[in-house]
Amino acid sequence: KMLDLYLTFDQTPKNLAAGVADQLSTDVLDEGTTPLKKLFEGFVPLPPKFCVAYKITAGTGVLSFRARLVAADNAALTTNPIILADTGVQTRKQTSDAVLAIGDQLIFEIPVTGQYVAKQFYGAIYTQGTADQDGEVTCYVGGAIQSQMPARKAAVP
């Protein structure tokens, strides 16, 4: 899905299901098979960025979050996947060394370059850290994080 030059995987806040299972983005891009595409090939001075904004809405224990931009041979992003960008497992606030808590927000802008294998499907996979952790996420590939992202507003008009 392309919107204003952005690959949008979750334009409006996606309410993740509670738990630790991997969750797929709402939208997965199908680039077709003739020919397969390398959307992020090469290294450019201003590469596109994997932009993720996540807010913890519930959970106990050691809360964490991870997001990955994945290209694969199937829409579930499980057949021959390659990870194009990865936030890594985040257990701390981005503004201090404090552990994550309900209400905390994590925002990422990760450059996406150097894809070496052509794939048909592109999407995001999210993982939360505890069985009762819940949250909401917006995600896309674009030039930079956007201040108007719905998940970051006090209310969506």
Side-chain angles (χ1 to χ4, degrees), residues 30-61:
D30 181 350
E31 276 295 303
T33 59
T34 313
L36 290 175
K37 308 276 190 315
K38 294 180 196 173
L39 294 184
F40 307 103
E41 185 176 24
F43 295 90
V44 296
L46 293 172
K49 294 179 182 159
F50 179 51
C51 300
V52 181
Y54 171 74
K55 180 179 181 181
I56 300 172
T57 58
T60 58

Side-chain angles (χ1 to χ4, degrees), residues 56-105:
I56 300 172
T57 58
T60 58
V62 181
L63 305 175
S64 67
F65 177 74
R66 180 182 186 192
R68 289 160 283 170
L69 175 62
V70 177
D73 295 336
N74 67 335
L77 304 178
T78 56
T79 303
N80 301 317
I82 58 171
I83 297 174
L84 301 169
D86 190 340
T87 65
V89 176
Q90 303 296 313
T91 60
R92 304 276 180 182
K93 295 183 181 190
Q94 292 174 313
T95 56
S96 72
D97 194 37
V99 297
L100 293 173
I102 296 170
D104 285 346
Q105 297 182 35

